[in-house]
Amino acid sequence: MKIRLGNMKIGLWPYLGLWTAVVVLFAMQNFVADALNGRTWSAWDYLRWSGIRWYTWAALAPLVFRLAERHPIQAPLRLRGLGTQCVASVAVTLLALVIGAFVSTAFEPSGFDTQLRYFLGFYVATGLLTYWALYAVQRAVQFYEEKTHREVEASRLASELAQSRLRALKSQLQPHFLFNTLHAIATLLDEDALSAEDMLLRLSDLLRAFLEDYDGQEVSLRRELILLDLYLGIQRFRFKDRLTTQIYIAPDTLDCAVPSLILQPIVENAITHGIGKRIGVDCIEIESRREGDTLCIDVRNRNSTLEVGVASAAGHGIGLSNTELRLRELYGDIAQVRLEMIWPEGVVCRLRLPFRAIEEADDAPEVELT
C-alpha cells in the first residue's frame, strides 16, 4: 500500500515511520519541558498526547498536498491563491484540532468540549505552522519534479536536434559522392565499357551499404574500411595506374567506433585536390593507431598542396567541412580534424577521436571486399 502525496507516492510503512519520528521527537520535548518544571508523567502519556496530534496530521497530509497542488501560490503573487491557502490552512487546522480532541476524549476523563478548548488553546499556532510546512514541502517537490522534467525534455530535444543535423549532414555527403562517381563512370563509357560496368557494380554495392546503414551514426573502423575499399576500387578504375593506396591499421583499432562515412569524404577530398587537379601519380595512405584514450587516423596523399595558413577543414571542400561539423555534433571539442603539409610534398588530414569500442548490430549488412 502506498500513500499518495500529490504526484508523489510513498510506502505506508516509510510514511508512518517518518511521522513516528516526529511523534517521538515532540514527546521528548514535552517530557524535557515538564522535567524542568519538576513535574513529569509516564512515557506512555507523552507518546499518546504527541501521537494524537501528529498522526492526525499524518492522515491530513494528503489533503494538504492536494490543496497545495490545486491552489498554488504562484509568482507574481496573486491574492486569490494566497487567500485560498489562508482559508484552507485555517480550515484544515481546525479539522485537525477537532479530530485530535475527539480521539483524546477516549483516553481522558474530561468531555469533548473540554478537550476541544484545550486543543484550541495550545495547538492552533502549531497546527497552522504544520499546514504551511506541508505546503512548502509540496511546492518544493513540485518544483523539483518540474525542473527534472524540463531538464529531461531539454536533453531529449537537444539530442533530437543533434540527430537531425547529423542526418542532414550525412544526406548531404551521399549525393555529393554519388554525383562525382557517376561523372567518373560517364567518362569511361566510351573509353572502357568493362571498367565502367565494374564501377557501376561497385557503386551499387556501396549505395546498398549506405542505404542499409543510413540510420547509424557510428560504425566500427573495420566496417568503415570495408565501405572505403569499395569507394577506392571505383577511384582506382578511374585513375588506373596513377592512383595507389596503402593502408596501415593497428589491430587494436579495428573495433573502435568512428562516425559512419567519415573516411570517404576525406579520401575523396585528397583525390580531388591531388591527381584530380594535378598531373602525375598519387598514393593515398591511411593509418590508424591508438594514443592513450585517443584514436588517431591520418589520411595522406602525395600529390597536392595546402594554402599557407590553412589548418582546418573549413573552406576546403564540402566533404571536409561536413566532417568537421559531424565531429563537433557527435563529440564536441574532444574530436579534432586538421590539415597539414607533409614533406617533401602532399597533405595529411589528421583525425583525433575518443577511443571507444563499438559492437556491431547482429543485423548489420555484410559487405565483402572485392
Side-chain angles (χ1 to χ4, degrees):
M1 180 178 178
K2 291 184 179 296
I3 304 297
R4 185 180 182 85
L5 299 175
N7 294 329
M8 181 177 61
K9 292 183 179 180
I10 183 173
L12 175 62
W13 296 113
Y15 183 73
L16 291 178
L18 178 63
W19 282 101
T20 299
V22 176
V23 169
V24 173
L25 178 64
F26 277 88
M28 293 176 60
Q29 180 187 24
N30 292 335
F31 171 78
V32 171
D34 287 347
L36 292 176
N37 293 325
R39 184 185 64 178
T40 60
W41 305 87
S42 67
W44 164 249
D45 290 329
Y46 288 107
L47 289 173
R48 185 180 75 245
W49 295 331
S50 182
I52 291 174
R53 291 167 55 195
W54 296 112
Y55 284 132
T56 298
W57 277 107
L60 293 176
L63 173 62
V64 176
F65 270 67
R66 283 196 294 271
L67 290 172
E69 183 179 10
R70 293 179 181 179
H71 307 284
I73 303 174
Q74 298 177 335
L77 182 63
R78 296 181 179 179
L79 295 179
R80 181 178 179 180
L82 179 60
T84 301
Q85 285 302 321
C86 287
V87 172
S89 65
V90 173
V92 174
T93 298
L94 290 178
L95 177 61
L97 297 179
V98 170
I99 294 175
F102 179 79
V103 174
S104 183
T105 302
F107 300 95
E108 301 294 339
S110 57
F112 174 76
D113 293 341
T114 302
Q115 291 298 315
L116 182 59
R117 287 195 296 271
Y118 175 80
F119 272 79
L120 290 173
F122 285 93
Y123 300 137
V124 171
T126 303
L128 290 173
L129 289 175
T130 302
Y131 179 94
W132 286 105
L134 290 172
Y135 175 87
V137 170
Q138 191 280 332
R139 297 313 299 161
V141 171
Q142 183 74 20
F143 288 149
Y144 176 77
E145 291 178 348
E146 291 177 355
K147 178 176 179 292
T148 302
H149 177 73
R150 286 194 298 269
E151 290 176 349
V152 172
E153 186 67 13
S155 177
R156 183 185 66 82
L157 292 175
S159 177
E160 289 183 356
L161 176 60
Q163 290 296 321
S164 297
R165 294 176 64 182
L166 285 169
R167 284 192 293 268
L169 290 171
K170 191 174 178 182
S171 64
Q172 191 177 23
L173 285 174
Q174 290 174 353
H176 176 64
F177 157 72
L178 178 61
F179 296 149
N180 287 353
T181 303
L182 289 175
H183 177 74
I185 294 174
T187 60
L188 286 176
L189 286 176
D190 294 333
E191 302 174 4
D192 190 345
L194 291 178
S195 296
E197 182 181 357
D198 199 352
M199 287 180 66
L200 282 173
L201 292 176
R202 285 178 173 270
L203 179 60
S204 174
D205 290 339
L206 188 57
L207 290 178
R208 177 173 57 84
F210 282 171
L211 293 174
E212 289 177 339
D213 192 43
Y214 184 79
D215 290 332
Q217 290 300 337
E218 287 185 318
V219 296
S220 67
L221 179 59
R222 184 194 311 273
R223 175 162 176 76
E224 182 71 6
L225 290 172
I226 292 175
L227 296 178
L228 181 64
D229 184 77
L230 290 173
Y231 170 77
L232 286 174
I234 294 173
Q235 297 295 2
R236 282 193 292 266
F237 271 109
R238 177 186 176 188
F239 293 101
K240 300 187 182 300
D241 295 338
R242 293 181 59 203
L243 177 64
T244 58
T245 58
Q246 294 182 0
I247 300 179
Y248 312 96
I249 303 298
D252 59 345
T253 64
L254 285 172
D255 294 323
C256 188
V258 298
S260 61
L261 298 181
I262 197 68
L263 294 180
Q264 179 266 322
I266 296 176
V267 172
E268 180 180 8
N269 192 76
I271 294 174
T272 300
H273 291 273
I275 58 175
K277 294 182 178 180
R278 301 162 65 91
I279 61 174
V281 298
D282 199 358
C283 178
I284 301 296
E285 301 174 358
I286 303 169
E287 177 185 0
S288 74
R289 63 188 182 278
R290 178 180 183 178
E291 294 181 359
D293 294 331
T294 302
L295 172 65
C296 302
I297 301 177
D298 293 343
V299 178
R300 297 183 288 268
N301 76 299
R302 301 291 180 176
N303 190 2
S304 66
T305 60
L306 191 64
E307 296 180 6
V308 177
V310 176
S312 70
H316 210 266
I318 185 175
L320 287 184
S321 62
N322 274 346
T323 296
E324 194 170 43
L325 289 173
R326 289 188 66 198
L327 292 180
R328 188 180 304 125
E329 291 288 350
L330 283 171
Y331 309 114
D333 296 332
I334 300 177
Q336 297 179 355
V337 54
R338 291 182 58 83
L339 294 175
E340 297 177 2
M341 290 289 297
I342 55 177
W343 188 88
E345 184 180 21
V347 174
V348 58
C349 179
R350 303 189 187 278
L351 288 176
R352 300 296 181 262
L353 310 174
F355 190 94
R356 177 172 53 83
I358 186 174
E359 294 184 3
E360 294 284 12
D362 294 335
D363 58 349
E366 295 291 337
V367 181
E368 297 181 358
L369 291 173
T370 59

